[in-house]
């Protein structure tokens, strides 16, 4: 019996053979691909020739492609279309893949060659990208323990395997708790306050769960946030809020408290092996920020003004509640509800009035159109290509000289998909094939969790949903426009406090009136969004920014604090979080929805651990960067767009990120545009 994962993938642009792959194919395919990878590395290390860039660095970058494509498929399926059987394989594979990684990065003979080249890097005639990939690989090896003594290396490998197990379990526990909860609404009284689009989404969710006569609110963000915003039923809002914020804390098999505590202990041990006092210190040493002091300084710049703003916002909510003869204490499950009421009065802005102008299809067209005008690329639908779920749209992406990649758009929430929104890849762009091999084109996927409209009705997005769509699409462009030689430097393989720049920057085009006039059209009448509504949307942009900024900054500060611990005593994450929020002075009624027990950014992997600040760090860059277009007087200014493509969206990690930004902008970024963008430079509004 042949394993389709190990056979050549002859689908379009090298897509996986989705239809033939079975769960039981993964474990043997991983085993074989890992074996092949080690054979490739042994061959590089055993070469009788002296180490050269080509026979060592370029060869290492080319090695393991079979493992990479199997791993990418597996990672994408476990995130977007999982099953109990696939989850079992995931738990089995996580430590094995981590052990493989340790074998790769502790390959002494291979590292000796890389280390020798690294020592000689100024004298061996490398161009900029070659030097960058050599330095990057060297650092990858060092950070994975290549320079540790043998006994420490062994312990390091054990720690990494256990971390892989635990982070896998953490994510599975969150999904289990999300799927275990559904708020069933049975009567008109239960639906009080919900506008038609929320009812339609709840009806659809009920149908998907086999409930013929009712409405269901799930813990998916695009269900829960509208419910908390509109439901007149304070008791139901409280029940929904409590379920949402207690994911991972229910005890039993899906309890994430001990999982998070052990992850933190092991991360501290990992950091200590590398000679760092804390995990935050270790993690930040490979970022633009470099130090905890730099991160804290940035967060503190927004913390005080945002907190003051949130206190004012709460006063307005209290006044609104009183005017309705309702409770004067604003609880976390009340904030969005009264904020929406204040917003409707102050800006005459009603979500239910806005959403008909934001059908999903139109917003996808808007994102494609902006990419076309900025970067000269086009998206051609390929409905003939079936992938892993019928809801996924497939597009071939064309540049001036033909196809540049494939784009998968997976927009709807479903129980088999983890919550949130993210970009991922099936294959990274590179031009480091063997002799005569063509360039490798990227295959990029965007995942969202929009509540699907009822059959026959469009899926209508909120303005925030549309922003999320543009955000993920910006990451997608970072992968699709990548134009580098080495896979290690490709696309989003950049430092993590740079990676949110292309995504957050792209959100700015959604707010351009010209883009809205063209694409935000009423789904029934086709009429473009009225100027007055655009104006009201823009005036409302700073509304509730105290609440949003405080919630975000609190989560980022708790992340930093919990990863800055220097004692290896197991931590009670719930008590730690409460104490830290008290110390910070989180304004009453705000409430955080990224609690440590379900904070997947921090614990479903390590990419954002001690790294939740990166959104704000990148916001300094995106706010400053977009002003280049404002200064040029044209949101699609060809020369600014050309520099943006060259130094940001296409450059991957081939240029040091600070230098890349300065090459695009002509200077470094300052924080004022970010503060202005959040409305935190202005005096507090009183009306
Ligand atoms: Zn992002």
């Amino acid at each position: 019996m042949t394993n389709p994962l190990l056979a050549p993938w002859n689908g379009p642009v090298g897509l996986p053979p989705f239809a033939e792959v079975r769960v039981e194919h993964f474990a043997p395919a991983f085993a074989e691909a890992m074996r092949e990878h080690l054979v490739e590395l042994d061959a590089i290390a055993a070469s009788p020739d002296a180490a050269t860039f080509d026979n060592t660095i370029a060869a290492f970058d080319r090695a393991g492609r079979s493992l990479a494509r199997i791993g990418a498929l597996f990672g994408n399926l476990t995130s977007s279309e999982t099953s109990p059987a696939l989850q079992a394989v995931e738990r089995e594979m996580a430590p094995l893949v981590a052990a493989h990684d340790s074998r790769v990065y502790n390959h002494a003979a291979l590292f000796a060659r890389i280390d020798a080249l690294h020592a000689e890097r100024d004298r061996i005639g490398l161009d900029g990208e070659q030097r960058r990939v050599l330095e990057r690989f060297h650092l990858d090896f060092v950070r994975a323990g290549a320079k540790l003594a043998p006994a420490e290396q062994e312990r390091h490998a054990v720690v990494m395997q256990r971390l892989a197990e635990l982070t896998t379990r953490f994510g599975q526990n969150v999904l289990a708790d999300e799927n275990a909860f559904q708020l069933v609404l049975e009567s008109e009284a239960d639906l009080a306050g919900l506008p038609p689009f929320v009812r339609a989404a709840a009806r659809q969710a009920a149908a998907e769960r086999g409930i013929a006569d009712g409405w269901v609110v799930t813990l998916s963000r695009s269900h829960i946030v509208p419910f908390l915003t509109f439901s007149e039923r304070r008791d139901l809002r409280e029940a929904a809020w409590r379920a949402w914020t207690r994911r991972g804390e229910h005890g039993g098999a899906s309890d994430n408290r001990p999982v998070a505590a052990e992850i933190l202990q092991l991360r501290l041990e990992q950091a200590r092996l590398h000679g760092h006092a804390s995990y935050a210190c270790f993690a930040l040493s490979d970022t633009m920020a470099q130090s905890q002091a730099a991160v804290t300084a940035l967060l503190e710049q927004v913390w005080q003004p945002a907190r003051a703003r949130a206190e004012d916002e709460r006063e307005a909510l209290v006044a609104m509640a009183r005017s309705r003869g309702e409770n004067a204490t604003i609880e976390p499950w009340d904030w969005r509800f009264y904020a929406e009421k204040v917003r409707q009065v102050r800006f005459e802005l009603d979500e239910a009035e806005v959403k008909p102008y934001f059908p999903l299809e139109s917003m996808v067209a808007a994102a494609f159109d902006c990419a076309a005008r900025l970067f000269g690329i086009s998206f051609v639908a390929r409905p003939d290509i079936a992938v892993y779920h019928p809801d996924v749209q497939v597009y071939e992406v064309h540049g001036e000289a033909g196809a540049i990649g494939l784009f998968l758009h997976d927009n709807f929430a479903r129980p088999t998909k983890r919550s949130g929104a993210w970009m991922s890849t099936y294959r990274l762009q590179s031009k480091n094939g063997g002799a005569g091999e063509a360039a490798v084109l990227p295959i990029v996927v965007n995942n969202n969790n929009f509540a699907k409209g009822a059959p026959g009705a469009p899926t209508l997005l909120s303005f925030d949903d549309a922003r999320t769509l543009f955000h993920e699409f910006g990451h997608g462009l970072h992968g699709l426009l990548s134009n580098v030689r080495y896979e290690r430097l490709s696309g989003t393989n950049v430092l993590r406090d740079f990676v949110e720049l292309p995504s957050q920057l792209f959100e700015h085009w959604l707010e351009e009136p010209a883009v809205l006039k063209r694409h935000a059209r009423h789904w029934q009448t086709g009429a473009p969004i009225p100027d007055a509504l655009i104006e009201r949307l823009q005036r409302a942009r700073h509304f509730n920014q105290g609440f949003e900024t405080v919630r975000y900054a609190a989560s980022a500060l708790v992340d930093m604090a919990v990863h800055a611990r220097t004692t290896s005593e197991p931590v009670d994450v719930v008590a730690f979080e409460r104490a830290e929020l008290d110390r910070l002075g989180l304004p009453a009624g705000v409430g955080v929805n990224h609690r440590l027990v379900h904070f997947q950014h921090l614990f479903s992997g390590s990419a954002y651990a001690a790294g939740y600040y990166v959104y704000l760090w990148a916001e300094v860059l995106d706010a400053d960067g977009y002003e280049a277009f404002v200064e040029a007087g044209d949101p699609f200014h060809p020369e600014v767009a050309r520099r943006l493509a060259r130094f940001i969206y296409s450059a991957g990690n081939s240029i040091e990120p600070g230098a890349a930004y300065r090459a695009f902008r002509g200077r470094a970024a300052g924080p004022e545009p970010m503060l202005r963008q959040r409305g935190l430079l202005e005096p507090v509004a009183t009306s």
Side-chain angles (χ1 to χ4, degrees), residues 313-323 327-330 338:
E313 288 166 1
R314 193 183 53 233
E315 289 307 307
L317 308 192
V318 169
M320 173 58 72
R322 286 211 176 106
S323 75
N327 46 285
T329 307
I330 302 298
Y338 290 110

Side-chain angles (χ1 to χ4, degrees), residues 530-545:
D531 289 331
L533 184 52
I534 294 180
E535 204 194 301
R536 280 182 279 146
L537 276 172
Q538 290 188 327
R539 276 203 300 131
R541 186 156 25 134
H542 295 160
F543 176 67
N544 217 24
Q545 274 299 307

